[in-house]
Amino acid sequence: MGTAGLVIGALLGILLVGLGGISFPVIDKIIHDEVIKSVILYKNTTVGYKNWADLPGGMYIEFCFFHLNNSAEVLAGGKPVLIEKGPYSYRYFKPKLNISYDHEDGTVMYSNFPTYIFDPETSNGDPSDIITTLNVPLMSIAEQLKYENPLYQEIVLTLLARIEKEDIFLEITINDLLWGYLDNMLKLVHDFDKTLVPDPHFGFMYNRNHTPGSTYEVYSGEKDAMLIANVKSFNGMDQLQWWTTPEANAINGSDGTYNHPFWSEHREEYLFSSDACRSVIMKFERHTRIKGIPTMKFSIPSFALQSGKTYPPNAGFCIPDSDHCLPDGLLNISQCQGGAPAIMSLPHFLFVDDDVRAKVDGLYPDAEKHNAFINVEPYTGASLEGALRMQFNIWMEKFVDASQMKNLPTLPFPVMWVNQHGTVNSDSADTIKAKLITPIFITNIAKWCLIGLGGAILIIVLSVAVFRKLKRKAPTKSVNGVTTSINSNGQTTEVPSDETRPLLS
């Protein structure tokens, strides 16, 4: 290789390395723009919009109930012994209806229309199963009695005086407890004054199947892609009305089924849950893979549900004020649940104060089974797998004006926990791989190949140049004070070394 060849090789190597280096920001910008185009919520024009409007494959929602195994002992003040029943699993479809855009504001408004279909194959039991549990309407009436007018109190006290032991803990089917039944106590109050109890039916999911759901306004991403799907308002509220500080009442994040793009393990995220009546922080937990796609797992950190006394930023969730903070892991959601003494926690009292957990037998908290999480594809923000989990407890305490209730222990009584979960189907995963993961992989390989090829050429050119320089320099060796040099023709010449050469010669 001549000198001209070395120069050309060096220039080519430098050029390839330079192109590889320059391609990093260029290709990253192309990927950034293409991702935004695919996830922005433009009506009927993006893949993201179609997945957002109607989740492909739907989701599942599992209900696990706690059967009380020692009701007589609890009536006498004993510790409840619980046995988990279920899950009772339902296919969950939540298409978005009445979609309308405000392009000036960069938002889109819609309402949900949820549908639940029982799935025996993924269930452990049948909705006709009977369990023993706390009489939720009764405890609600007793709780509301504290705040009502004297006439209402007199009527309810008369009714409470007639209750029997079997009225405090009900034997009831899962179906009735979920989807509703006519409650005798509620009916008595309803018949007296319909304004006190407008509907005498009770069920955790009563009137929530095949009926219009809540109304949301979310950001479409037209103005800011990092706000895509973040909730701006819920049922007409830009701020919630149940908590005591603006920070607690703030609506932050998405609902977790669709998110903004470009997630980072170094940034905290928020999810808004209408059932939990608040936004909750999510933190990076670890890197994962879902159906071959690299993802990031975010989950609820323990401090997010700590008491306002333990973690002062949570003081706004103490109601009616910071002097009434519940123990760690418990959230009083009574104000957003029609006044019912409802207490939310993670399932099996995960992250709940040890003293509270010690008041109940039969709970076995496990973060892998009971914490809420999402596995997010970091470029698009797509939720490839997720589970929103929460437990509904009813505040139980003694009521001295009713003889059958005067010895009840005071505690948040676990009734059921819910696991709303879903995983991307194979078709959608293949689409993500074909349109996102594979192109990104190829472009990243191409970038490094340019740099690698250019670097290899530079190394070769440098090696040839060094070799040629060393070859020009005649090698020598010294034996017995005589230095022998070898010229380019292979001939040798002996020269005395400095040690034997005369001072004058």
PDB file of all heavy atoms in Angstrom, residues 319-351:
ATOM      1  N   ILE A 319     -58.079  13.127  56.628  1.00  0.00           N
ATOM      2  CA  ILE A 319     -59.337  13.859  56.716  1.00  0.00           C
ATOM      3  C   ILE A 319     -60.019  13.549  58.056  1.00  0.00           C
ATOM      4  O   ILE A 319     -59.912  12.440  58.573  1.00  0.00           O
ATOM      5  CB  ILE A 319     -60.272  13.531  55.520  1.00  0.00           C
ATOM      6  CG1 ILE A 319     -60.501  12.036  55.399  1.00  0.00           C
ATOM      7  CG2 ILE A 319     -59.714  14.087  54.244  1.00  0.00           C
ATOM      8  CD1 ILE A 319     -61.506  11.663  54.317  1.00  0.00           C
ATOM      9  N   PRO A 320     -60.667  14.566  58.640  1.00  0.00           N
ATOM     10  CA  PRO A 320     -60.895  15.914  58.103  1.00  0.00           C
ATOM     11  C   PRO A 320     -59.696  16.854  58.204  1.00  0.00           C
ATOM     12  O   PRO A 320     -59.692  17.926  57.623  1.00  0.00           O
ATOM     13  CB  PRO A 320     -62.037  16.439  58.966  1.00  0.00           C
ATOM     14  CG  PRO A 320     -61.867  15.725  60.264  1.00  0.00           C
ATOM     15  CD  PRO A 320     -61.365  14.346  59.919  1.00  0.00           C
ATOM     16  N   ASP A 321     -58.636  16.444  58.947  1.00  0.00           N
ATOM     17  CA  ASP A 321     -57.448  17.295  59.067  1.00  0.00           C
ATOM     18  C   ASP A 321     -56.265  16.418  59.445  1.00  0.00           C
ATOM     19  O   ASP A 321     -56.384  15.199  59.610  1.00  0.00           O
ATOM     20  CB  ASP A 321     -57.673  18.407  60.097  1.00  0.00           C
ATOM     21  CG  ASP A 321     -58.182  17.880  61.437  1.00  0.00           C
ATOM     22  OD1 ASP A 321     -57.572  16.918  61.953  1.00  0.00           O
ATOM     23  OD2 ASP A 321     -59.185  18.409  61.944  1.00  0.00           O
ATOM     24  N   SER A 322     -55.103  17.050  59.586  1.00  0.00           N
ATOM     25  CA  SER A 322     -53.876  16.299  59.855  1.00  0.00           C
ATOM     26  C   SER A 322     -53.848  15.662  61.238  1.00  0.00           C
ATOM     27  O   SER A 322     -52.956  14.855  61.530  1.00  0.00           O
ATOM     28  CB  SER A 322     -52.655  17.218  59.683  1.00  0.00           C
ATOM     29  OG  SER A 322     -52.743  18.327  60.560  1.00  0.00           O
ATOM     30  N   ASP A 323     -54.796  16.017  62.090  1.00  0.00           N
ATOM     31  CA  ASP A 323     -54.890  15.371  63.404  1.00  0.00           C
ATOM     32  C   ASP A 323     -55.603  14.022  63.323  1.00  0.00           C
ATOM     33  O   ASP A 323     -55.706  13.316  64.327  1.00  0.00           O
ATOM     34  CB  ASP A 323     -55.620  16.277  64.399  1.00  0.00           C
ATOM     35  CG  ASP A 323     -54.823  17.527  64.732  1.00  0.00           C
ATOM     36  OD1 ASP A 323     -53.576  17.457  64.697  1.00  0.00           O
ATOM     37  OD2 ASP A 323     -55.435  18.577  65.012  1.00  0.00           O
ATOM     38  N   HIS A 324     -56.122  13.692  62.149  1.00  0.00           N
ATOM     39  CA  HIS A 324     -56.880  12.436  61.987  1.00  0.00           C
ATOM     40  C   HIS A 324     -56.232  11.549  60.914  1.00  0.00           C
ATOM     41  O   HIS A 324     -56.922  10.945  60.095  1.00  0.00           O
ATOM     42  CB  HIS A 324     -58.331  12.731  61.627  1.00  0.00           C
ATOM     43  CG  HIS A 324     -59.105  13.402  62.717  1.00  0.00           C
ATOM     44  ND1 HIS A 324     -59.026  14.762  62.959  1.00  0.00           N
ATOM     45  CD2 HIS A 324     -59.969  12.908  63.632  1.00  0.00           C
ATOM     46  CE1 HIS A 324     -59.810  15.077  63.974  1.00  0.00           C
ATOM     47  NE2 HIS A 324     -60.394  13.972  64.410  1.00  0.00           N
ATOM     48  N   CYS A 325     -54.920  11.480  60.935  1.00  0.00           N
ATOM     49  CA  CYS A 325     -54.216  10.608  59.995  1.00  0.00           C
ATOM     50  C   CYS A 325     -54.376   9.152  60.417  1.00  0.00           C
ATOM     51  O   CYS A 325     -54.214   8.813  61.598  1.00  0.00           O
ATOM     52  CB  CYS A 325     -52.730  10.953  59.951  1.00  0.00           C
ATOM     53  SG  CYS A 325     -52.355  12.576  59.244  1.00  0.00           S
ATOM     54  N   LEU A 326     -54.680   8.308  59.456  1.00  0.00           N
ATOM     55  CA  LEU A 326     -54.724   6.878  59.720  1.00  0.00           C
ATOM     56  C   LEU A 326     -53.304   6.324  59.766  1.00  0.00           C
ATOM     57  O   LEU A 326     -52.358   6.959  59.298  1.00  0.00           O
ATOM     58  CB  LEU A 326     -55.520   6.167  58.625  1.00  0.00           C
ATOM     59  CG  LEU A 326     -57.026   6.467  58.578  1.00  0.00           C
ATOM     60  CD1 LEU A 326     -57.665   5.730  57.403  1.00  0.00           C
ATOM     61  CD2 LEU A 326     -57.702   6.053  59.880  1.00  0.00           C
ATOM     62  N   PRO A 327     -53.114   5.120  60.297  1.00  0.00           N
ATOM     63  CA  PRO A 327     -51.773   4.513  60.301  1.00  0.00           C
ATOM     64  C   PRO A 327     -51.245   4.289  58.891  1.00  0.00           C
ATOM     65  O   PRO A 327     -51.981   4.352  57.901  1.00  0.00           O
ATOM     66  CB  PRO A 327     -52.011   3.179  61.029  1.00  0.00           C
ATOM     67  CG  PRO A 327     -53.237   3.399  61.861  1.00  0.00           C
ATOM     68  CD  PRO A 327     -54.102   4.330  61.069  1.00  0.00           C
ATOM     69  N   ASP A 328     -49.968   4.019  58.810  1.00  0.00           N
ATOM     70  CA  ASP A 328     -49.313   3.805  57.515  1.00  0.00           C
ATOM     71  C   ASP A 328     -50.057   2.765  56.681  1.00  0.00           C
ATOM     72  O   ASP A 328     -50.471   1.719  57.178  1.00  0.00           O
ATOM     73  CB  ASP A 328     -47.872   3.325  57.712  1.00  0.00           C
ATOM     74  CG  ASP A 328     -46.954   4.420  58.219  1.00  0.00           C
ATOM     75  OD1 ASP A 328     -47.372   5.593  58.217  1.00  0.00           O
ATOM     76  OD2 ASP A 328     -45.814   4.097  58.620  1.00  0.00           O
ATOM     77  N   GLY A 329     -50.192   3.070  55.386  1.00  0.00           N
ATOM     78  CA  GLY A 329     -50.761   2.113  54.453  1.00  0.00           C
ATOM     79  C   GLY A 329     -52.260   2.175  54.286  1.00  0.00           C
ATOM     80  O   GLY A 329     -52.820   1.456  53.459  1.00  0.00           O
ATOM     81  N   LEU A 330     -52.940   3.034  55.047  1.00  0.00           N
ATOM     82  CA  LEU A 330     -54.403   3.135  55.001  1.00  0.00           C
ATOM     83  C   LEU A 330     -54.821   4.505  54.479  1.00  0.00           C
ATOM     84  O   LEU A 330     -54.214   5.519  54.813  1.00  0.00           O
ATOM     85  CB  LEU A 330     -55.015   2.912  56.383  1.00  0.00           C
ATOM     86  CG  LEU A 330     -54.722   1.567  57.050  1.00  0.00           C
ATOM     87  CD1 LEU A 330     -55.324   1.542  58.459  1.00  0.00           C
ATOM     88  CD2 LEU A 330     -55.259   0.404  56.218  1.00  0.00           C
ATOM     89  N   LEU A 331     -55.884   4.524  53.679  1.00  0.00           N
ATOM     90  CA  LEU A 331     -56.396   5.764  53.106  1.00  0.00           C
ATOM     91  C   LEU A 331     -57.895   5.826  53.319  1.00  0.00           C
ATOM     92  O   LEU A 331     -58.632   4.938  52.887  1.00  0.00           O
ATOM     93  CB  LEU A 331     -56.084   5.820  51.604  1.00  0.00           C
ATOM     94  CG  LEU A 331     -56.529   7.084  50.861  1.00  0.00           C
ATOM     95  CD1 LEU A 331     -55.712   8.294  51.323  1.00  0.00           C
ATOM     96  CD2 LEU A 331     -56.388   6.893  49.356  1.00  0.00           C
ATOM     97  N   ASN A 332     -58.341   6.877  53.982  1.00  0.00           N
ATOM     98  CA  ASN A 332     -59.771   7.084  54.241  1.00  0.00           C
ATOM     99  C   ASN A 332     -60.424   7.661  52.978  1.00  0.00           C
ATOM    100  O   ASN A 332     -60.214   8.816  52.632  1.00  0.00           O
ATOM    101  CB  ASN A 332     -59.945   8.049  55.420  1.00  0.00           C
ATOM    102  CG  ASN A 332     -61.403   8.241  55.804  1.00  0.00           C
ATOM    103  OD1 ASN A 332     -62.321   7.839  55.078  1.00  0.00           O
ATOM    104  ND2 ASN A 332     -61.636   8.859  56.956  1.00  0.00           N
ATOM    105  N   ILE A 333     -61.214   6.839  52.285  1.00  0.00           N
ATOM    106  CA  ILE A 333     -61.849   7.296  51.041  1.00  0.00           C
ATOM    107  C   ILE A 333     -63.360   7.479  51.227  1.00  0.00           C
ATOM    108  O   ILE A 333     -64.113   7.472  50.262  1.00  0.00           O
ATOM    109  CB  ILE A 333     -61.576   6.315  49.879  1.00  0.00           C
ATOM    110  CG1 ILE A 333     -62.077   4.908  50.210  1.00  0.00           C
ATOM    111  CG2 ILE A 333     -60.100   6.291  49.537  1.00  0.00           C
ATOM    112  CD1 ILE A 333     -61.983   3.941  49.025  1.00  0.00           C
ATOM    113  N   SER A 334     -63.790   7.670  52.461  1.00  0.00           N
ATOM    114  CA  SER A 334     -65.229   7.772  52.745  1.00  0.00           C
ATOM    115  C   SER A 334     -65.873   8.957  52.021  1.00  0.00           C
ATOM    116  O   SER A 334     -67.015   8.860  51.558  1.00  0.00           O
ATOM    117  CB  SER A 334     -65.462   7.887  54.258  1.00  0.00           C
ATOM    118  OG  SER A 334     -64.792   9.023  54.791  1.00  0.00           O
ATOM    119  N   GLN A 335     -65.154  10.075  51.903  1.00  0.00           N
ATOM    120  CA  GLN A 335     -65.764  11.260  51.306  1.00  0.00           C
ATOM    121  C   GLN A 335     -66.028  11.092  49.819  1.00  0.00           C
ATOM    122  O   GLN A 335     -66.888  11.753  49.256  1.00  0.00           O
ATOM    123  CB  GLN A 335     -64.877  12.487  51.567  1.00  0.00           C
ATOM    124  CG  GLN A 335     -64.857  12.896  53.033  1.00  0.00           C
ATOM    125  CD  GLN A 335     -64.302  14.295  53.225  1.00  0.00           C
ATOM    126  OE1 GLN A 335     -64.253  15.091  52.295  1.00  0.00           O
ATOM    127  NE2 GLN A 335     -63.880  14.605  54.441  1.00  0.00           N
ATOM    128  N   CYS A 336     -65.279  10.218  49.147  1.00  0.00           N
ATOM    129  CA  CYS A 336     -65.540  10.000  47.723  1.00  0.00           C
ATOM    130  C   CYS A 336     -66.335   8.710  47.497  1.00  0.00           C
ATOM    131  O   CYS A 336     -66.500   8.282  46.346  1.00  0.00           O
ATOM    132  CB  CYS A 336     -64.249   9.989  46.921  1.00  0.00           C
ATOM    133  SG  CYS A 336     -63.240   8.519  47.120  1.00  0.00           S
ATOM    134  N   GLN A 337     -66.815   8.097  48.575  1.00  0.00           N
ATOM    135  CA  GLN A 337     -67.620   6.885  48.462  1.00  0.00           C
ATOM    136  C   GLN A 337     -68.981   7.073  49.138  1.00  0.00           C
ATOM    137  O   GLN A 337     -69.526   6.160  49.751  1.00  0.00           O
ATOM    138  CB  GLN A 337     -66.876   5.696  49.093  1.00  0.00           C
ATOM    139  CG  GLN A 337     -65.584   5.332  48.407  1.00  0.00           C
ATOM    140  CD  GLN A 337     -65.795   4.814  46.996  1.00  0.00           C
ATOM    141  OE1 GLN A 337     -66.816   4.206  46.689  1.00  0.00           O
ATOM    142  NE2 GLN A 337     -64.825   5.051  46.123  1.00  0.00           N
ATOM    143  N   GLY A 338     -69.522   8.268  49.021  1.00  0.00           N
ATOM    144  CA  GLY A 338     -70.867   8.526  49.520  1.00  0.00           C
ATOM    145  C   GLY A 338     -71.014   8.467  51.022  1.00  0.00           C
ATOM    146  O   GLY A 338     -72.129   8.239  51.526  1.00  0.00           O
ATOM    147  N   GLY A 339     -69.932   8.638  51.755  1.00  0.00           N
ATOM    148  CA  GLY A 339     -70.012   8.633  53.210  1.00  0.00           C
ATOM    149  C   GLY A 339     -69.840   7.266  53.838  1.00  0.00           C
ATOM    150  O   GLY A 339     -69.779   7.160  55.077  1.00  0.00           O
ATOM    151  N   ALA A 340     -69.756   6.211  53.047  1.00  0.00           N
ATOM    152  CA  ALA A 340     -69.510   4.879  53.606  1.00  0.00           C
ATOM    153  C   ALA A 340     -68.139   4.847  54.266  1.00  0.00           C
ATOM    154  O   ALA A 340     -67.188   5.462  53.754  1.00  0.00           O
ATOM    155  CB  ALA A 340     -69.595   3.828  52.503  1.00  0.00           C
ATOM    156  N   PRO A 341     -67.993   4.137  55.386  1.00  0.00           N
ATOM    157  CA  PRO A 341     -66.713   4.124  56.111  1.00  0.00           C
ATOM    158  C   PRO A 341     -65.676   3.251  55.407  1.00  0.00           C
ATOM    159  O   PRO A 341     -65.184   2.255  55.949  1.00  0.00           O
ATOM    160  CB  PRO A 341     -67.102   3.565  57.478  1.00  0.00           C
ATOM    161  CG  PRO A 341     -68.269   2.675  57.193  1.00  0.00           C
ATOM    162  CD  PRO A 341     -69.030   3.340  56.068  1.00  0.00           C
ATOM    163  N   ALA A 342     -65.324   3.626  54.186  1.00  0.00           N
ATOM    164  CA  ALA A 342     -64.434   2.828  53.352  1.00  0.00           C
ATOM    165  C   ALA A 342     -62.988   3.241  53.568  1.00  0.00           C
ATOM    166  O   ALA A 342     -62.662   4.431  53.557  1.00  0.00           O
ATOM    167  CB  ALA A 342     -64.818   2.971  51.884  1.00  0.00           C
ATOM    168  N   ILE A 343     -62.135   2.247  53.741  1.00  0.00           N
ATOM    169  CA  ILE A 343     -60.710   2.453  53.919  1.00  0.00           C
ATOM    170  C   ILE A 343     -59.987   1.661  52.843  1.00  0.00           C
ATOM    171  O   ILE A 343     -60.200   0.456  52.694  1.00  0.00           O
ATOM    172  CB  ILE A 343     -60.230   1.981  55.304  1.00  0.00           C
ATOM    173  CG1 ILE A 343     -61.071   2.612  56.417  1.00  0.00           C
ATOM    174  CG2 ILE A 343     -58.752   2.277  55.486  1.00  0.00           C
ATOM    175  CD1 ILE A 343     -60.955   4.098  56.531  1.00  0.00           C
ATOM    176  N   MET A 344     -59.160   2.347  52.068  1.00  0.00           N
ATOM    177  CA  MET A 344     -58.421   1.679  50.998  1.00  0.00           C
ATOM    178  C   MET A 344     -57.009   1.341  51.464  1.00  0.00           C
ATOM    179  O   MET A 344     -56.388   2.088  52.215  1.00  0.00           O
ATOM    180  CB  MET A 344     -58.371   2.586  49.760  1.00  0.00           C
ATOM    181  CG  MET A 344     -57.927   1.875  48.476  1.00  0.00           C
ATOM    182  SD  MET A 344     -56.131   1.789  48.268  1.00  0.00           S
ATOM    183  CE  MET A 344     -55.740   3.483  47.853  1.00  0.00           C
ATOM    184  N   SER A 345     -56.520   0.192  51.007  1.00  0.00           N
ATOM    185  CA  SER A 345     -55.133  -0.203  51.247  1.00  0.00           C
ATOM    186  C   SER A 345     -54.692  -1.063  50.074  1.00  0.00           C
ATOM    187  O   SER A 345     -55.483  -1.392  49.189  1.00  0.00           O
ATOM    188  CB  SER A 345     -54.998  -0.990  52.554  1.00  0.00           C
ATOM    189  OG  SER A 345     -55.621  -2.266  52.433  1.00  0.00           O
ATOM    190  N   LEU A 346     -53.440  -1.447  50.057  1.00  0.00           N
ATOM    191  CA  LEU A 346     -53.008  -2.470  49.124  1.00  0.00           C
ATOM    192  C   LEU A 346     -53.443  -3.837  49.660  1.00  0.00           C
ATOM    193  O   LEU A 346     -53.679  -3.987  50.868  1.00  0.00           O
ATOM    194  CB  LEU A 346     -51.493  -2.417  48.934  1.00  0.00           C
ATOM    195  CG  LEU A 346     -50.976  -1.198  48.153  1.00  0.00           C
ATOM    196  CD1 LEU A 346     -49.451  -1.195  48.114  1.00  0.00           C
ATOM    197  CD2 LEU A 346     -51.545  -1.154  46.750  1.00  0.00           C
ATOM    198  N   PRO A 347     -53.587  -4.834  48.798  1.00  0.00           N
ATOM    199  CA  PRO A 347     -54.082  -6.152  49.228  1.00  0.00           C
ATOM    200  C   PRO A 347     -53.247  -6.762  50.353  1.00  0.00           C
ATOM    201  O   PRO A 347     -52.033  -6.607  50.414  1.00  0.00           O
ATOM    202  CB  PRO A 347     -54.004  -6.985  47.957  1.00  0.00           C
ATOM    203  CG  PRO A 347     -54.149  -5.994  46.844  1.00  0.00           C
ATOM    204  CD  PRO A 347     -53.439  -4.769  47.328  1.00  0.00           C
ATOM    205  N   HIS A 348     -53.958  -7.459  51.215  1.00  0.00           N
ATOM    206  CA  HIS A 348     -53.352  -8.168  52.351  1.00  0.00           C
ATOM    207  C   HIS A 348     -52.574  -7.219  53.261  1.00  0.00           C
ATOM    208  O   HIS A 348     -51.618  -7.632  53.925  1.00  0.00           O
ATOM    209  CB  HIS A 348     -52.471  -9.317  51.864  1.00  0.00           C
ATOM    210  CG  HIS A 348     -53.252 -10.516  51.418  1.00  0.00           C
ATOM    211  ND1 HIS A 348     -53.292 -11.692  52.125  1.00  0.00           N
ATOM    212  CD2 HIS A 348     -54.056 -10.709  50.341  1.00  0.00           C
ATOM    213  CE1 HIS A 348     -54.054 -12.572  51.503  1.00  0.00           C
ATOM    214  NE2 HIS A 348     -54.546 -11.983  50.408  1.00  0.00           N
ATOM    215  N   PHE A 349     -53.006  -5.950  53.282  1.00  0.00           N
ATOM    216  CA  PHE A 349     -52.374  -4.934  54.128  1.00  0.00           C
ATOM    217  C   PHE A 349     -50.885  -4.772  53.818  1.00  0.00           C
ATOM    218  O   PHE A 349     -50.074  -4.521  54.722  1.00  0.00           O
ATOM    219  CB  PHE A 349     -52.568  -5.253  55.606  1.00  0.00           C
ATOM    220  CG  PHE A 349     -53.934  -4.900  56.144  1.00  0.00           C
ATOM    221  CD1 PHE A 349     -54.374  -5.406  57.367  1.00  0.00           C
ATOM    222  CD2 PHE A 349     -54.778  -4.062  55.443  1.00  0.00           C
ATOM    223  CE1 PHE A 349     -55.629  -5.075  57.872  1.00  0.00           C
ATOM    224  CE2 PHE A 349     -56.038  -3.726  55.945  1.00  0.00           C
ATOM    225  CZ  PHE A 349     -56.464  -4.238  57.156  1.00  0.00           C
ATOM    226  N   LEU A 350     -50.506  -4.887  52.537  1.00  0.00           N
ATOM    227  CA  LEU A 350     -49.126  -4.618  52.138  1.00  0.00           C
ATOM    228  C   LEU A 350     -48.775  -3.174  52.483  1.00  0.00           C
ATOM    229  O   LEU A 350     -49.541  -2.255  52.191  1.00  0.00           O
ATOM    230  CB  LEU A 350     -48.959  -4.864  50.640  1.00  0.00           C
ATOM    231  CG  LEU A 350     -47.581  -4.575  50.044  1.00  0.00           C
ATOM    232  CD1 LEU A 350     -46.549  -5.572  50.572  1.00  0.00           C
ATOM    233  CD2 LEU A 350     -47.633  -4.620  48.516  1.00  0.00           C
ATOM    234  N   PHE A 351     -47.629  -2.968  53.115  1.00  0.00           N
ATOM    235  CA  PHE A 351     -47.118  -1.657  53.549  1.00  0.00           C
ATOM    236  C   PHE A 351     -47.945  -1.043  54.678  1.00  0.00           C
ATOM    237  O   PHE A 351     -47.735   0.120  55.035  1.00  0.00           O
ATOM    238  CB  PHE A 351     -47.056  -0.650  52.389  1.00  0.00           C
ATOM    239  CG  PHE A 351     -46.212  -1.072  51.219  1.00  0.00           C
ATOM    240  CD1 PHE A 351     -46.501  -0.626  49.937  1.00  0.00           C
ATOM    241  CD2 PHE A 351     -45.108  -1.908  51.388  1.00  0.00           C
ATOM    242  CE1 PHE A 351     -45.722  -1.000  48.850  1.00  0.00           C
ATOM    243  CE2 PHE A 351     -44.330  -2.297  50.312  1.00  0.00           C
ATOM    244  CZ  PHE A 351     -44.639  -1.846  49.041  1.00  0.00           C
TER     245      PHE A 351
END
